[in-house]
Amino acid sequence: MQRFFYSLLALVLLLPFQVFAQRSQAFQIHSHNDYLQTVPFWTAYAAGASSIEVDLILKDGQLMAAHEAESIDPKRTIGSLYLDPIAEGVKTGLVSTAQFHLLVDLKTEAYSTLEVLLKSMEDYRDVLFGAANPHGLKLIISGNRPKPSDYGNYPEYIFFDYQSKELGKELPWSKIGMVSLSFRQFSVWNGKGRMVEDERKSLQDFIDLVHSFDRPVRFWGSPDSKSAWKAFHEMGEDYINTDRPMEAADYLSQLPENVYQNNSVHEVYPARFAGDGADVPVKNVILMIGDGNGLAQISSALFTNGNQLNLTQLKNMGLVKTQAADDFTTDSAAGATAYASGEKTNNRAIGVDPEGNALENLPDLLDGFGFSSGIVTTDQLTGATPASFYAHHPERDDAEQIAAYLPKSKLDLFIGGGGDRFGAQLGDLQQAGFELVDGFGSWEAGRVGYFVAPGSLPKVLDGRGDYLLEATSSALGFLEKKGVPFFLMVEAANIDSGGHENSTGMIVTEMLDFDRVIGRVLRFADEHPGTLVIVTADHETGGVSIPQGDIESNTVELAFHSDDHTGILVPIFAYGAHSGDFRGVYENTAVFHKIMELVRKYYRD
């Protein structure tokens, strides 16, 4: 029954390990005082720990797993907690090779305790390291140890933990399994913020010294936090000391995904600010929506682009509340409907109120004031954000029904993916006056539609290139030539995807792509006084924070609280005519009403 329990427990614990093992493990964990875990050995093994510590006390001829005599439990021996589970794991195939060692910290006299330990190991010969079993289990003896001159008297599976700053070629290196010292010999750092540079250098020098003898190094009594794990990993500590092996392994294994270095810094357009905030007629309105783009996403792009962005030049800014009518946390459908119609609606609803009644959107309303309108997106055109500016449907996933609204819309221009969704509407679009083009250029038609891809567009990391910049530039040129005021919505959809996938690289590259387009739009606004540019988001995605980064190397680390949308306020920036009207903290619906107030101020219906 006990064997069955261990096997079942191991299977449960090893489920996360199977995922962990598929990642690139460029770090090693030391499970400190592992015998105090609820499930000793298997917790460390499931975390992929390379070094597993057990304190041993020789008591009445038995090797008890305990730190002091007062805490001895007769059931907790090195055999019951470690050697038996390992042997059973090897027998059942749960432990294929011993890619770990036991760090045995002797709390009683070294020679007598080792004598009993060696006798105990006779029952486990099949799993022990040796010439005939190069992948077998090694024991590294720590705590009370024999004299270094006696190290060679012990079996080949026994190694020793050397604990001194004095290192030399004369030491018995072939029997030294690692070098360990107290972290407090080097630093008083508590694992928060950053280590003092002099202390960090002292620690780094010792790590390098140990490595010069081709041996691993570990520090006990070290801070046990994410900041500490990352710092020790970057310094090259071979066995990172932790009492939380699962958490440490999960964090360190995700570092390659959570840290991103930008190697393509773009130049920032120097905005003129000549007409910024001017109380003049608004001739054009350009609404730019970074889907899922919160303050952390913007910050990550800033810190990886030489500490500058087109967006962060802007002086008029505010914060937007994003809640939906039926939920604290909005989705893109309700969020974009609020911007497009000025009304709160339920999540999943596009262009309708909570009762399902159609809401007038900005392109429809602005048509009555002589405006032309267009939408550009990196999403499919039936996606929630672009669809909210032409469709009226209670369910965002009903792509075919949503597509049927496009020929009926007041839009003069659309550019985006998802062309396969519109097969039944191609004739209706052409009858509505849309010329369906197959490339960017100087379009002369009255209405233009461009299905850039049959399905979804690739991400920047997958080779999308300058699509959004070219699409926005072509849209601006097309609408400008009409000689009438215009409204243009530009969506960068895949910042949201990066948040959902908890991908730092996707968030940074999509936001930087968006910022390049923002620079192009700011230049247009400077060249066309009376243009109002609004840059915001429908919601934040991922609950993103920035625990660390390095501005000099354009590197940032992101952490994620969620893989979904959050209810946090999102920034809004404005530039050009009446941009000062967008300062403050307000509901997402207010963006629509601010735009319409300006239109009604200067234009007659």
Side-chain angles (χ1 to χ4, degrees), residues 447-475:
R447 306 179 83 183
V448 168
Y450 184 10
F451 296 114
V452 183
S456 297
L457 288 156
K459 312 295 191 294
V460 170
L461 290 173
D462 298 325
R464 192 174 69 232
D466 292 335
Y467 157 74
L468 188 59
L469 183 62
E470 293 182 22
T472 303
S473 296
S474 294

Side-chain angles (χ1 to χ4, degrees), residues 368-370 599-605:
F369 291 90
V599 171
R600 292 189 176 101
K601 181 176 180 179
Y602 295 110
Y603 299 90
R604 291 186 177 181
D605 194 347

Side-chain angles (χ1 to χ4, degrees), residues 43 59 90 102 154 181 219 245 259 265 306 322 328 347 362 446 476 478 484 507 544 574 582:
T43 298
K59 176 74 170 177
V90 170
L102 293 184
Y154 290 90
L181 283 178
F219 301 99
V259 175
V265 174
T322 63
F328 177 80
N347 280 342
L362 281 170
L476 291 172
F478 171 75
V484 297
I507 286 174
V544 183
F582 290 82

Side-chain angles (χ1 to χ4, degrees), residues 207-388:
I207 292 172
D208 294 342
L209 176 61
V210 175
H211 287 170
S212 72
F213 292 96
D214 195 27
R215 286 298 179 272
V217 63
R218 174 185 71 96
F219 301 99
W220 76 80
S222 57
D224 201 6
S225 66
K226 290 179 180 179
S227 295
W229 301 332
K230 183 172 184 283
F232 297 143
H233 172 53
E234 291 175 344
M235 296 177 73
E237 181 183 4
D238 299 279
Y239 296 110
I240 297 171
N241 201 74
T242 181
D243 289 318
R244 298 182 284 164
M246 293 292 282
E247 186 178 348
D250 184 62
Y251 171 74
L252 289 169
S253 67
Q254 292 184 53
L255 265 182
E257 300 170 9
N258 291 347
V259 175
Y260 183 80
Q261 181 177 27
N262 177 35
N263 296 313
S264 182
V265 174
H266 65 256
E267 293 293 324
V268 167
Y269 166 74
R272 300 175 192 168
F273 293 98
D276 190 36
D279 189 11
V280 297
V282 175
K283 297 180 180 178
N284 310 304
V285 178
I286 304 172
L287 175 60
M288 307 185 73
I289 300 175
D291 198 325
N293 197 31
L295 186 58
Q297 286 83 346
I298 294 169
S299 301
S300 70
L302 174 71
F303 299 144
T304 57
N305 197 64
N307 211 20
Q308 59 178 356
L309 290 177
N310 290 298
L311 181 58
T312 54
Q313 296 180 83
L314 304 189
K315 301 173 182 178
N316 289 305
M317 60 191 75
L319 294 169
V320 173
K321 306 172 190 177
T322 63
Q323 281 64 46
D326 65 339
D327 200 343
F328 177 80
T329 303
T330 192
D331 72 349
S332 293
T337 295
Y339 286 143
S341 70
E343 297 290 336
K344 295 275 188 179
T345 193
N346 296 337
N347 280 342
R348 308 200 65 80
I350 290 175
V352 295
D353 66 18
E355 286 71 44
N357 302 307
L359 297 167
E360 286 189 293
N361 55 49
L362 281 170
D364 288 348
L365 287 167
L366 293 176
D367 180 70
F369 291 90
F371 279 63
S372 60
S373 295
I375 55 174
V376 174
T377 181
T378 56
D379 195 4
Q380 297 193 33
L381 283 157
T382 53
T385 299
S388 294

